[in-house]
């Protein structure tokens, strides 16, 4: 198998997947629309006697929802009905994983871009539907910062997608993971809620309190690669069209 | 066109070509159909058709020109007639005799039946093929 | 040249052996019929050859490569069955277009002509087709892809007889025009046998026979005669199948090479040919007597 052969197959599969999994874009639109509605409540507010009340509006909820959407969409890709559609024409496991990796990146890009833009949509909506005075926070931003911001969002979404992909692949590999992984996630959440577990909060800080763009880039792509490596190894013996 | 009476297909193909030769549809030194043409005609595997052609080649009814195909030999007609007389006709007659014995039909009676059949099919010269 | 080569291939499914030490090889540009009863291992074998499933042990070579995880084999082979899951939201024309994008030897003219001939509608979806129509469509994919190795698993399931006959003819004509290695499994051996060059007969995951179709047709003969005479004469020989053919009359199927036909004739037995599909059934019979044992 040469790289040219592999590249050709990956490219074909990539475009095929766009047609195949077009439904994921609908679910993106719905997810983000719901998130925007939730955002109308504001993410926080301060009351002050002199100037009344200040509501903070941001697209954070949209982002969180998009992360969830990416995770679940990627997980779906690994399930049997999706795989049966995927393994129809020319493929092997490696080309399939690589094209999924790229497809999820494309998906994240669209999700990230629309999440970013939904911040503006939110401002417009709030301005139109509520009788508020808008106070911009970061109106003057250079294009470079905007681009870096969008790329960062895309990278985070991609990371969540690859996590979902890894979870899905592990479940395909061993059904035990279907019970194990949700228990671990819920367990972690409980730990955070009850005792503010240091380790988990540190993981959160490691990823989300990083101010250097370069480090964000390195951390997320490294995580993505790790997730795909685990997925590829765990499904390398997977039989299709059973 | 082919029968499913248990006769192997390649023999049926051979017999079909023989009959075509007898009818004069393939003349001496004329090329007969290729295995692919036969396969297409009868919807059979070309290997089977080739086997039928080879049977005829082994009996000197056809000869091979390398790269060109199979051609009818000059003696083809004579060989076929001789063969059919000795094999097919003999076989059929054997069967008739066996059946006649089982039914206790006497020799004279059988001869009468035979002659009658001959007359009905238009005399002795009736060369209609029996395929 | 050998296009397919299997050596001691075993496939475990759970604890059962779907394939059991299977060894055979198939020459280039031949049509082989894969015959066997339900559960004999036909689908398992074809899916392994197509690279969809993985052999448990043994060596499988398709186009000199191990098919599982091989892009080369995937590109040059196609596995067609009636459970082909095409995406539900692509219509038939779109599926054909995808096939064309993926397979290097795809013949668009053939695909479109067959598509029109069998009266498919471009906007139909695969899920809405009837069983026979679905099989027909899948077979069009298999024909048009023109893969070096084409594996058909019960391709005519659900088709009516007229369509089956037409499909056999299409298969043959396209094979004559563009020779390739074809394996076709089917329960309609008698309809299919003229197309086949070789037959591979499986039973319980093992190879029973692998021989040219012509030889299979002459593999066995049926003898009818007086029971005592027949049984006496056949003592020590393998009787593939026997059943009563009247009072004191017995019909027995034996291997042709085991007996002398002139002698049988002399003993007053009636000799009859045995169809290849009957031979396959008799050889893979579960013990003597077959289904009649159930009623004993």
């Amino acid at each position: 198998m040469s790289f040219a052969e592999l590249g050709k197959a990956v490219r074909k599969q990539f475009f095929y997947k766009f047609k195949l999994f077009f439904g994921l874009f609908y679910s993106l639109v719905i997810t983000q629309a719901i998130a925007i509605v939730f955002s109308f409540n504001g993410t926080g507010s301060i009351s002050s006697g002199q100037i009344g009340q200040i509501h903070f509006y941001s697209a954070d909820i949209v982002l969180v929802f998009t992360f969830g959407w990416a995770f679940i969409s990627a997980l779906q890709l690994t399930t049997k009905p999706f795989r049966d559609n995927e393994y129809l024409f020319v493929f092997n496991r490696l080309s399939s994983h690589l094209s999924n990796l790229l497809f999820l990146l494309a998906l994240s890009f669209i999700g990230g871009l629309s999440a970013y833009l939904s911040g503006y949509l939110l401002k417009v909506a709030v301005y139109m539907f509520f009788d508020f005075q808008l106070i911009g926070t970061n109106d003057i931003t250079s294009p470079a910062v905007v681009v870096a911001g969008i790329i960062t969002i895309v990278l985070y979404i991609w990371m969540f997608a690859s996590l979902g992909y890894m979870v899905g692949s592990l479940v395909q590999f061993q059904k035990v993971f279907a019970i194990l992984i949700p228990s671990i996630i819920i367990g972690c959440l409980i730990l955070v809620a009850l005792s503010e577990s240091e380790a988990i909060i540190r993981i959160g800080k490691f990823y989300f309190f990083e101010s250097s763009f370069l480090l964000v880039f390195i951390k997320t792509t490294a995580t993505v690669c790790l997730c795909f490596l685990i997925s590829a190894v765990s499904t390398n013996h997977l039989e299709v069209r059973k | 066109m082919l029968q499913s009476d248990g006769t192997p297909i390649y023999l049926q193909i051979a017999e079909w070509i023989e009959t075509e030769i007898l009818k004069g549809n393939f003349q001496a030194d004329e090329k007969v159909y290729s295995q692919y043409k036969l396969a297409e005609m009868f919807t059979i595997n070309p290997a089977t058709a080739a086997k039928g052609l080879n049977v005829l080649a082994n009996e000197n009814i056809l000869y091979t020109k390398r790269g060109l195909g199979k051609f009818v030999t000059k003696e083809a007609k004579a060989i076929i007639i001789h063969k059919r007389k000795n094999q097919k006709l003999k076989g059929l007659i054997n069967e008739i005799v066996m059946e006649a014995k089982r039914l206790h039909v006497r020799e004279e009676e059988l001869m009468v039946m035979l002659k009658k059949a001959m007359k009905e099919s238009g005399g002795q010269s009736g060369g209609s093929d029996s395929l | 040249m050998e296009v397919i080569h299997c050596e001691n291939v075993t496939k475990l499914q759970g604890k059962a052996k779907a394939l059991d030490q299977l060894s055979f090889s198939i020459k280039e540009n031949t049509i082989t019929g894969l015959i066997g009863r339900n559960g004999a291992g036909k689908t398992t074998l074809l899916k392994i050859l197509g690279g969809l499933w993985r052999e448990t042990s043994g060596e499988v070579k398709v186009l000199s490569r191990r098919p599982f995880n091989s892009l080369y084999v995937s590109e040059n082979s196609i596995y067609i069955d009636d459970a082909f899951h095409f995406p539900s939201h692509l219509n038939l024309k779109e599926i054909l277009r995808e096939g064309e994008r993926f397979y290097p030897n795809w013949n668009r003219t053939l695909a479109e002509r067959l598509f029109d001939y069998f009266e498919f509608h471009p906007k139909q979806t695969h899920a809405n087709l009837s069983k026979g129509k679905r099989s027909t469509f899948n077979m069009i994919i298999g024909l048009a892809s023109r893969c070096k190795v084409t594996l058909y698993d019960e391709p005519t399931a659900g088709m009516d007889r007229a369509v089956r006959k037409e499909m056999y003819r299409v298969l043959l004509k396209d094979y004559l025009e563009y020779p390739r290695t074809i394996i076709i499994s089917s329960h309609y051996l008698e309809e299919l046998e003229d197309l086949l060059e070789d037959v591979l007969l499986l039973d319980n995951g093992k190879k029973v026979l692998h021989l040219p179709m012509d030889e299979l047709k002459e593999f066995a003969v049926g003898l009818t005669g007086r029971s005592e005479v027949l049984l006496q004469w056949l003592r020590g020989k393998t009787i593939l199948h026997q059943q009563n053919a009247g009072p004191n009359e017995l019909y027995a199927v034996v291997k042709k090479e085991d007996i002398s036909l002139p002698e049988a004739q002399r003993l007053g037995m009636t000799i009859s040919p045995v169809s290849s599909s009957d031979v396959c059934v008799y050889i893979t019979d579960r013990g003597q007597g077959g289904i009649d044992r159930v009623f004993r």
Side-chain angles (χ1 to χ4, degrees):
Chain A
M1 179 179 59
S2 68
F3 277 113
E5 251 185 332
L6 182 65
K8 203 172 67 184
V10 169
R11 202 185 67 231
K12 284 177 182 172
Q13 274 182 292
F14 176 75
F15 288 112
Y16 174 55
K17 272 168 200 176
F18 260 95
K19 280 178 216 158
L20 210 54
F21 305 136
F22 201 75
L24 294 177
F25 291 106
Y26 295 121
S27 65
L28 171 69
V29 171
I30 294 167
T31 309
Q32 292 192 339
I34 293 171
I36 287 173
V37 171
F38 275 115
S39 303
F40 283 154
N41 267 335
T43 44
S45 63
I46 306 169
S47 290
S48 145
Q50 281 156 4
I51 50 167
Q53 212 174 22
I54 299 174
H55 287 278
F56 294 98
Y57 290 100
S58 78
D60 287 355
I61 295 180
V62 177
L63 265 187
V64 172
F65 270 57
T66 310
F67 290 159
W69 163 80
F71 184 89
I72 289 167
S73 300
L75 200 140
Q76 263 188 303
L77 286 191
T78 62
T79 57
K80 188 177 166 351
F82 276 71
R83 262 188 301 128
D84 278 345
N85 281 346
E86 190 197 329
Y87 288 106
L88 267 190
F89 299 111
V90 178
F91 68 90
N92 69 3
R93 274 106 203 126
L94 184 60
S95 77
S96 158
H97 284 309
L98 287 175
S99 61
N100 279 338
L101 181 78
L102 292 177
F103 177 68
L104 289 177
L105 178 61
L107 216 57
S108 308
F109 182 76
I110 293 164
L113 197 64
S114 60
Y116 183 83
L117 294 176
S118 70
Y120 291 101
L121 182 68
L122 187 62
K123 278 179 194 164
V124 172
V126 168
Y127 184 72
M128 279 175 38
F129 297 127
F130 301 99
D131 186 22
F132 291 154
Q133 175 102 45
L134 274 183
I135 309 168
T137 46
N138 46 0
D139 281 341
I140 311 149
T141 38
S142 69
V145 174
V146 173
V147 170
I150 292 175
I151 293 176
T152 309
I153 293 173
V154 169
L155 286 173
Y156 278 129
I157 298 174
W158 197 27
M159 189 175 80
F160 273 96
S162 51
L163 279 172
Y165 193 75
M166 179 181 75
V167 170
S169 302
L170 286 174
V171 171
Q172 294 303 322
F173 173 60
Q174 272 295 328
K175 296 287 174 231
V176 176
F177 285 109
I179 304 161
L180 211 59
I181 291 170
S183 339
I184 291 173
I185 292 175
I186 292 169
C188 287
L189 289 176
I190 292 170
L191 269 183
V192 172
L194 288 182
S195 58
E196 304 202 333
S197 159
E198 264 300 303
I200 293 163
I201 288 172
R202 214 176 289 151
I203 293 174
K205 278 185 177 166
F206 175 77
Y207 284 112
F208 297 110
F209 287 78
E210 182 56 67
S211 52
S212 154
F213 175 70
L214 184 70
L215 281 180
V216 168
F217 182 80
I218 293 170
K219 282 176 182 178
T220 47
T221 36
T223 311
V224 167
C225 291
L226 185 70
C227 288
F228 269 88
L229 194 69
I230 292 171
S231 309
V233 170
S234 60
T235 57
N236 201 36
H237 286 172
L238 196 68
E239 297 183 324
V240 292
R241 279 162 70 186
K242 281 246 181 191
Chain B
M1 276 175 280
L2 296 181
Q3 290 154 3
S4 49
D5 61 351
T7 316
I9 302 294
Y10 70 94
L11 287 181
Q12 293 192 43
I13 293 298
E15 236 171 274
W16 180 82
I17 294 172
E18 284 176 2
T19 309
E20 290 305 298
I21 293 171
L22 286 183
K23 282 187 195 161
N25 289 342
F26 293 122
Q27 299 287 341
D29 289 320
E30 199 182 319
K31 187 179 185 293
V32 296
Y33 292 153
S34 72
Q35 64 180 101
Y36 302 104
K37 170 85 180 161
L38 289 168
E40 207 270 338
M41 277 178 68
F42 294 101
T43 322
I44 54 168
N45 192 290
T48 314
K51 204 170 165 189
L53 290 170
N54 284 334
V55 168
L56 297 179
N58 289 338
E59 291 172 0
N60 285 326
I61 294 168
L62 301 178
Y63 64 95
T64 312
K65 272 193 202 170
R66 203 154 279 164
L68 291 175
K70 296 245 183 320
F71 292 77
V72 181
T73 58
K74 293 204 172 54
E75 314 80 50
K77 234 175 179 163
I79 296 174
I80 297 166
I81 291 171
H82 179 79
K83 183 174 85 168
R84 289 219 175 161
K85 259 190 202 158
N86 277 297
Q87 288 174 8
K88 193 159 183 183
L89 201 56
K90 244 188 192 166
L92 286 172
I93 287 173
N94 276 343
E95 261 179 58
I96 291 171
V97 171
M98 291 273 275
E99 184 68 17
K101 264 187 183 167
R102 248 175 261 147
L103 301 174
H104 304 292
V105 176
R106 277 176 298 115
E107 198 181 322
E108 300 83 63
E109 210 177 326
L110 192 62
M111 290 309 285
V112 172
M113 283 169 84
L114 202 62
K115 273 181 185 152
K116 198 178 160 207
M118 285 281 233
K119 212 175 269 168
E120 274 168 6
S121 73
Q124 283 178 317
S125 61
S128 69
D129 64 279
S130 54
L131 257 185
Chain C
M1 198 191 94
E2 279 179 7
V3 164
I4 294 169
H5 183 85
C6 285
E7 217 165 299
N8 297 324
V9 175
T10 298
K11 171 73 185 172
L12 294 178
Q13 274 170 345
K15 278 187 179 163
K17 280 182 180 169
L19 295 179
D20 190 1
Q21 297 283 312
L22 187 63
S23 301
F24 70 95
S25 51
I26 284 177
K27 290 192 305 276
E28 192 181 17
N29 300 340
T30 51
I31 308 180
T32 303
L34 183 59
I35 310 298
R37 303 190 146 202
N38 294 333
K42 295 176 299 213
T43 297
T44 308
L45 175 61
L46 291 177
K47 285 196 166 168
I48 288 174
L49 294 179
L52 299 173
W53 292 3
R54 196 167 56 99
E55 69 278 11
T56 310
S57 67
E59 190 188 46
V60 183
K61 284 274 190 290
V62 173
L63 301 162
S64 318
R65 289 165 172 85
R66 184 189 180 207
F68 191 75
N69 258 346
S70 161
L71 263 187
Y72 181 79
V73 173
S74 179
E75 191 172 72
N76 289 289
S77 71
I78 191 164
Y79 169 83
I80 301 283
D81 65 359
D82 59 343
F84 225 138
H85 286 286
F86 284 109
S88 49
H89 56 280
L90 292 187
N91 65 41
L92 297 183
K93 261 281 149 67
E94 284 170 330
I95 295 172
L96 288 186
R97 218 170 294 139
E98 287 303 318
E100 182 172 352
R101 267 184 357 97
F102 274 99
Y103 290 105
N105 294 331
W106 184 271
N107 185 328
R108 186 197 294 177
T109 326
L110 180 68
E112 283 177 355
R113 284 196 182 155
L114 289 172
F115 190 85
D116 292 339
Y117 179 81
F118 289 105
E119 296 174 332
F120 285 102
H121 194 276
K123 290 275 193 285
Q124 273 173 308
T125 62
H126 199 256
N128 291 335
L129 296 175
S130 70
K131 193 167 159 51
K133 275 282 195 184
R134 205 176 304 165
S135 295
T136 310
F137 182 78
N138 294 350
M139 233 182 132
I140 293 177
I141 300 262
L143 289 160
S145 68
R146 289 199 160 171
C147 289
K148 284 195 183 106
V149 175
T150 309
L151 310 162
Y152 292 112
D153 193 1
E154 294 290 340
T156 55
M159 291 182 195
D160 64 46
R161 201 179 139 77
V163 174
R164 285 207 298 275
K165 278 191 96 169
E166 285 176 323
M167 269 302 175
Y168 297 141
R169 187 146 175 83
V170 174
L171 182 77
L172 184 85
K173 284 188 83 139
D174 194 50
Y175 164 78
L176 291 173
E177 203 177 299
Y178 194 89
R180 56 198 122 156
T181 309
I182 298 172
I183 304 184
I184 177 165
S185 89
S186 177
H187 287 303
Y188 302 105
L189 179 60
E190 60 277 22
E191 286 180 12
L192 194 66
E193 58 183 24
D194 294 351
L195 296 188
L196 305 177
E197 183 164 343
D198 293 317
V199 172
L200 177 60
L201 176 62
L202 297 185
D203 193 32
N204 284 329
K206 293 194 184 78
K207 180 175 88 178
V208 182
L209 287 175
H210 185 199
L211 75 183
M213 188 67 221
D214 292 321
E215 286 175 29
L216 179 64
K217 286 191 122 181
E218 295 180 90
F219 185 79
V221 286
L223 301 171
T224 316
R226 289 178 58 85
S227 308
E228 338 61 275
V229 182
L230 194 57
L231 286 174
Q232 173 82 30
W233 189 56
L234 291 178
R235 185 164 295 163
K237 287 162 187 144
T238 322
I239 298 175
L240 298 173
H241 172 77
Q242 67 178 63
Q243 69 186 59
N244 287 332
N248 269 328
E249 289 268 298
L250 194 69
Y251 170 73
V253 175
V254 289
K255 272 197 200 171
K256 205 174 196 173
E257 60 181 33
D258 280 356
I259 56 149
S260 129
L261 287 181
E263 205 181 323
Q265 230 156 9
R266 219 179 36 245
L267 288 167
M269 292 171 201
T270 316
I271 300 162
S272 52
V274 182
S275 77
S276 43
S277 54
D278 282 345
V279 171
C280 290
V281 170
Y282 297 151
I283 291 179
T284 56
D285 205 355
R286 310 266 179 266
Q288 295 288 321
I291 191 71
D292 280 348
R293 278 190 311 164
V294 175
F295 297 95
R296 241 167 240 166

